[in-house]
Amino acid sequence: MFPVHRIKNWARAHDANCLVSSTSFQQENFLKITSIEAVPFTIPYQHPIVAASGVLDSAEHVLVRVHTDEGLVGIGEAASRSFVYGESQASIVAAIRQWLEPALIGADPMAVEDLYERTSWLVANNTARGALDIALHDLRGKVTGMPSWLLLGGVKRPVRVTRILTMGEAQEAADEARQAVAESGISSFKVKVGTGLRSDVARIAAVREAVGEEATIYVDANHGWRAEEAILALTSMAEYGLDLVEEPCPASDTIGRQRLAQHIPISIMADESAPTLADAARELTAGSARALSIKTTRTGFTESARLVSLAGALGARTLLGSQADSMVGTAASLAFGSAFPQVASEPGELDYFNVFTDHLVTNELVVQNGVLIPSELPGIGVEIDEDKLCHYRIDNR
Ligand SMILES: [Mg+2]
């Protein structure tokens, strides 16, 4: 299935280098990074995406491409979220060009752990570093001819897909859920809440009625409630069978969040309050969060794997989250999740691309029977459609 000759050649080069000297490690025979490209692109959504933390009407993302001296190219996607991480398309491009590319030119792209640490001095620029790490893992797959899920030590597991519903009127959300069931067999739904208690409860009730008792429903308030409001809201919603509540109130209110966790029968999932390993450790050990949203776009594969281990050690759940990823970011997330049983066994937010008006890849992802199946192609398993990239890139190159 995989081009074994390429693996053997790579292994032979590796052995040869090890034989040169075990004390002064030589890397002359290795692949080298020659440039790192950051391409800003904008694709309109079919309708505005509304959350308690902000409104978006188009994906303003950046495609990161790592080029090598052998012509192989790895890809990753960064999604800007000014109101969550303080990053913009322009800042992601600048971070790649000004700091990350110079730090990695000439390095061996296979050394993903080493390269992640080599750029760890750069604070805050989560999705710039995350996309770069994914591009390096994609490249690793292309060098070896293996899909990323296999290189991460996993098997090809389908992942159940969660549809994130519009935060509109109750009937609108219910109709969207019904359509997702009918068209794609989706059986897991995330409902955005956090604007008004009455409308939030009405939306949950309508969605539950639309999708039936067996479907999974969880809610995301994006810090839209205060802790006391969250206790009231979630107490009212509990009868509709919620699996989780994501970011009910600001994590900075440590005592409020712990009090909330003690008063509701629903586990709290940390998302934007846990964008790094250190933040996740704080949230999980503080006793408030009992689940983590794993977003590979902000923690790459390297730090995401550490998050899964941390959560596993503390008995917390891990679900794939979406930063409104296009099919590039979604393919990466799917490949990562498929590799880890504790992630693949949970529903993942893997079809946000349904709100995009177009897609950048030649081999589009399709949700069938409520699941996505990872590709057997090397790396993250998708290829860029250059004509479409040319159309949607905004840097006029
Ligand atoms: Mg969230």
Side-chain angles (χ1 to χ4, degrees), residues 190 192 220 222 246 271-272 295:
K190 175 155 98 173
K192 291 284 189 177
D220 185 358
N222 290 109
E246 187 174 327
D271 176 15
E272 55 263 46
K295 291 184 173 175

Side-chain angles (χ1 to χ4, degrees), residues 55-77:
V55 180
L56 298 166
D57 56 15
S58 61
E60 297 179 353
H61 297 187
V62 178
L63 180 71
V64 175
R65 295 202 272 204
V66 177
H67 295 266
T68 61
D69 56 354
E70 288 194 8
L72 293 168
V73 180
I75 61 171
E77 177 186 23

Side-chain angles (χ1 to χ4, degrees), residues 51 53 84-85 164 190 192 218-223 246-247 269-273 293 295 298 321-323 349:
S53 51
V84 182
Y85 308 117
I164 303 175
K190 175 155 98 173
K192 291 284 189 177
Y218 59 102
V219 296
D220 185 358
N222 290 109
H223 295 176
E246 187 174 327
E247 300 294 359
M269 178 154 73
D271 176 15
E272 55 263 46
S273 64
S293 176
K295 291 184 173 175
R298 71 179 171 212
S322 173
Q323 203 67 60
E349 297 166 6

Side-chain angles (χ1 to χ4, degrees), residues 8 49 62 68 70 111 179 194 199 204 226 232 265-266 369 371 387 395:
K8 284 182 177 168
I49 293 177
V62 178
T68 61
E70 288 194 8
Q179 190 178 355
S199 60
I204 296 297
R226 288 181 288 109
L232 272 177
I266 305 163
N369 300 319
V371 302
D387 290 338
D395 56 354

Side-chain angles (χ1 to χ4, degrees), residues 181-249:
V181 174
E183 290 179 357
S184 308
I186 287 177
S187 61
S188 176
F189 299 88
K190 175 155 98 173
V191 183
K192 291 284 189 177
V193 293
T195 49
L197 178 57
R198 199 167 293 175
S199 60
D200 286 341
V201 174
R203 196 177 304 113
I204 296 297
V207 172
R208 174 56 79 196
E209 190 185 350
V211 300
E213 294 301 314
E214 298 300 315
T216 301
I217 298 178
Y218 59 102
V219 296
D220 185 358
N222 290 109
H223 295 176
W225 293 317
R226 288 181 288 109
E228 291 73 18
E229 290 174 320
I231 292 172
L232 272 177
L234 293 162
T235 302
S236 303
M237 291 174 185
E239 66 174 291
Y240 300 107
L242 300 186
D243 188 41
L244 290 162
V245 56
E246 187 174 327
E247 300 294 359
C249 58

Side-chain angles (χ1 to χ4, degrees), residues 112 116 128-138 299-303:
V112 286
Y116 200 74
R129 283 189 69 219
L132 176 56
D133 185 66
I134 288 170
L136 290 168
H137 277 85
D138 181 53
T299 41
F301 285 179
T302 302
E303 192 153 333

